[in-house]
Amino acid sequence: MSKPKVATASLAGCFGCHMSLLDIDERILKLIELVDFDKSPIDDIKEFTGRCTVGLIEGGCANEENVRVLQDFRKHCDILISVGACATMGGIPAMRNNIPLKECLDEAYLNGPTVHNPSGIIPNDKEIPLCLDKVYPCHEVVKIDYYLP
């Protein structure tokens, strides 16, 4: 019998949930006897290699790239689990939700105390994902099956 495939992703958050998983030290060797990791920073696989039994998502959706990744996980995973405060509630990144996006960008790129930006331009390269109006917990973007706060 083949092992279940598990995929993981980190969206807008601190990567702490992945660090906690890695912090199991040598016990990760016992874990990989039970599951195969597919797309994940744990094994550095960048694209899905097929259908996954479980997808673990940490972090919320702060930009259009986060939304695309989350939708891709929903499409490829039988069970999708939000892991941690950022994925389940928006976490620390969602602290910006009470401040208009323009004000956040102005502070970060124009008016902040350590900002040096003589051009006065907020970065807008097509390679940079557009920020969303607020940070969304995962369940507000796709169907989430289970939550591990």
Coordinates of all heavy atoms in Angstrom, one line a residue, residues 4-5 12 14 17 34-35 40 44-46 51 81 88 107-109 112 116 121 124 126 129-130 134 136 140:
P4 N 0.2 7.9 2.0 CA -0.5 9.1 1.7 C 0.5 10.3 1.3 O 1.5 10.4 1.9 CB -1.3 9.5 2.9 CG -0.8 8.7 4.0 CD 0.0 7.5 3.4
K5 N 0.1 11.1 0.4 CA 0.9 12.3 0.0 C 0.4 13.5 0.7 O -0.8 13.8 0.8 CB 0.8 12.5 -1.5 CG 1.6 11.4 -2.3 CD 1.4 11.5 -3.8 CE 2.0 12.7 -4.4 NZ 2.0 12.7 -5.9
A12 N 0.9 34.2 3.8 CA 1.3 35.4 4.6 C 1.4 35.1 6.1 O 0.3 34.9 6.7 CB 0.4 36.6 4.3
C14 N 4.6 33.8 9.4 CA 5.9 33.9 9.9 C 6.7 32.6 9.5 O 7.9 32.6 9.9 CB 5.9 34.1 11.4 SG 5.3 32.7 12.3
C17 N 4.8 27.7 11.7 CA 4.2 26.3 11.7 C 5.1 25.3 11.0 O 5.3 24.2 11.5 CB 2.8 26.4 11.1 SG 1.7 27.4 12.0
L34 N 5.8 7.2 7.2 CA 4.3 7.1 7.1 C 3.7 7.9 6.0 O 2.6 7.5 5.5 CB 3.8 7.6 8.4 CG 4.2 6.9 9.7 CD1 3.7 7.7 10.9 CD2 3.8 5.5 9.7
V35 N 4.4 9.0 5.5 CA 3.8 9.8 4.5 C 4.9 10.2 3.5 O 6.1 10.2 3.8 CB 3.2 11.1 5.0 CG1 2.0 10.8 6.0 CG2 4.2 12.1 5.7
S40 N 6.2 21.1 -1.2 CA 6.4 21.6 0.2 C 7.8 22.2 0.3 O 8.8 21.8 -0.3 CB 6.3 20.4 1.1 OG 6.7 20.8 2.4
D44 N 11.4 20.9 -0.9 CA 11.7 21.8 -1.9 C 11.1 21.4 -3.3 O 11.6 21.8 -4.3 CB 13.2 22.0 -2.1 CG 13.6 23.4 -2.7 OD1 12.8 24.3 -2.6 OD2 14.6 23.5 -3.4
I45 N 10.0 20.6 -3.3 CA 9.3 20.3 -4.5 C 8.4 21.5 -4.8 O 7.6 21.9 -3.9 CB 8.5 19.0 -4.4 CG1 9.5 17.8 -4.2 CG2 7.6 18.8 -5.6 CD1 8.8 16.5 -4.0
K46 N 8.6 22.2 -5.9 CA 7.9 23.4 -6.3 C 6.5 23.3 -6.9 O 5.7 24.2 -6.8 CB 8.8 24.2 -7.2 CG 10.2 24.5 -6.8 CD 10.3 25.6 -5.8 CE 11.7 25.9 -5.6 NZ 12.1 26.0 -4.2
R51 N -2.1 14.1 -7.3 CA -3.1 14.3 -6.2 C -2.5 14.1 -4.9 O -1.7 13.1 -4.7 CB -4.3 13.3 -6.5 CG -5.4 13.6 -5.6 CD -6.6 14.3 -6.5 NE -7.5 14.9 -5.6 CZ -7.8 16.2 -5.6 NH1 -7.2 17.0 -6.4 NH2 -8.7 16.6 -4.8
I81 N -6.2 21.6 5.3 CA -6.2 22.0 6.7 C -5.5 23.3 6.9 O -4.4 23.5 6.5 CB -5.5 20.9 7.5 CG1 -6.1 19.5 7.3 CG2 -5.5 21.2 9.0 CD1 -5.4 18.3 8.0
T88 N -5.9 30.4 10.2 CA -7.3 30.3 10.7 C -8.0 31.6 11.0 O -9.2 31.7 10.9 CB -7.3 29.4 12.0 OG1 -6.5 30.1 13.0 CG2 -6.8 28.0 11.7
E107 N 3.2 54.2 4.2 CA 4.1 54.1 5.4 C 5.3 53.3 5.1 O 6.4 53.6 5.5 CB 3.3 53.6 6.6 CG 4.2 53.5 7.9 CD 4.5 54.9 8.5 OE1 3.9 55.9 8.1 OE2 5.4 54.9 9.3
A108 N 5.1 52.2 4.4 CA 6.2 51.2 4.1 C 7.1 51.7 3.1 O 8.3 51.5 3.2 CB 5.6 49.9 3.6
Y109 N 6.6 52.5 2.1 CA 7.5 52.9 0.9 C 7.8 54.4 0.8 O 8.7 54.7 0.0 CB 6.9 52.3 -0.4 CG 6.9 50.8 -0.4 CD1 5.7 50.1 -0.3 CD2 8.0 50.1 -0.5 CE1 5.6 48.8 -0.3 CE2 8.0 48.7 -0.6 CZ 6.8 48.0 -0.5 OH 6.8 46.7 -0.5
G112 N 7.7 56.1 6.1 CA 8.3 55.4 7.2 C 9.6 56.1 7.7 O 10.3 56.7 6.9
H116 N 14.1 55.4 2.6 CA 14.9 56.2 1.7 C 14.4 55.9 0.3 O 14.8 54.9 -0.2 CB 16.4 56.0 1.8 CG 17.2 56.8 0.8 ND1 17.3 58.2 0.9 CD2 17.8 56.5 -0.3 CE1 18.0 58.6 -0.1 NE2 18.3 57.6 -0.8
I121 N 8.2 56.5 -5.5 CA 7.3 55.6 -6.2 C 7.2 54.3 -5.3 O 8.1 53.7 -4.8 CB 8.0 55.2 -7.6 CG1 8.0 56.4 -8.5 CG2 7.1 54.1 -8.2 CD1 8.8 56.2 -9.8
N124 N 5.8 48.8 -8.2 CA 4.6 48.3 -8.9 C 5.0 47.4 -10.1 O 4.3 47.4 -11.1 CB 3.8 49.5 -9.4 CG 4.6 50.4 -10.3 OD1 5.8 50.2 -10.6 ND2 4.0 51.4 -10.8
K126 N 5.4 44.2 -12.4 CA 4.4 43.2 -12.7 C 4.8 41.9 -12.0 O 4.0 41.0 -11.9 CB 4.2 43.0 -14.2 CG 5.4 42.5 -14.9 CD 5.2 42.4 -16.4 CE 6.5 41.9 -17.0 NZ 6.5 41.9 -18.4
P129 N 3.4 40.5 -6.6 CA 2.0 40.2 -6.5 C 1.3 41.4 -5.9 O 1.8 42.1 -5.0 CB 1.9 39.0 -5.6 CG 3.3 38.5 -5.5 CD 4.2 39.6 -5.9
L130 N 0.1 41.8 -6.4 CA -0.7 42.9 -5.9 C -1.2 42.5 -4.5 O -1.7 41.4 -4.2 CB -1.9 43.2 -6.8 CG -1.5 43.8 -8.1 CD1 -2.8 43.9 -9.0 CD2 -0.8 45.1 -8.0
K134 N -7.2 43.5 2.3 CA -7.0 43.1 3.7 C -6.4 41.7 3.6 O -6.3 41.1 2.6 CB -8.3 43.2 4.5 CG -9.3 42.1 4.1 CD -10.5 42.2 5.1 CE -11.2 40.8 5.0 NZ -12.1 40.7 6.1
Y136 N -6.9 37.9 4.5 CA -8.0 37.0 4.6 C -7.5 35.7 5.2 O -6.5 35.1 4.8 CB -8.7 36.7 3.3 CG -9.3 37.9 2.7 CD1 -8.6 38.8 1.8 CD2 -10.7 38.2 2.9 CE1 -9.2 39.9 1.3 CE2 -11.3 39.3 2.3 CZ -10.5 40.2 1.5 OH -11.1 41.3 1.0
E140 N -12.0 32.0 4.1 CA -12.7 33.1 3.4 C -12.4 33.1 1.9 O -13.0 33.8 1.1 CB -12.5 34.5 4.0 CG -13.1 34.6 5.4 CD -13.0 36.0 6.0 OE1 -12.7 36.9 5.2 OE2 -13.2 36.1 7.2

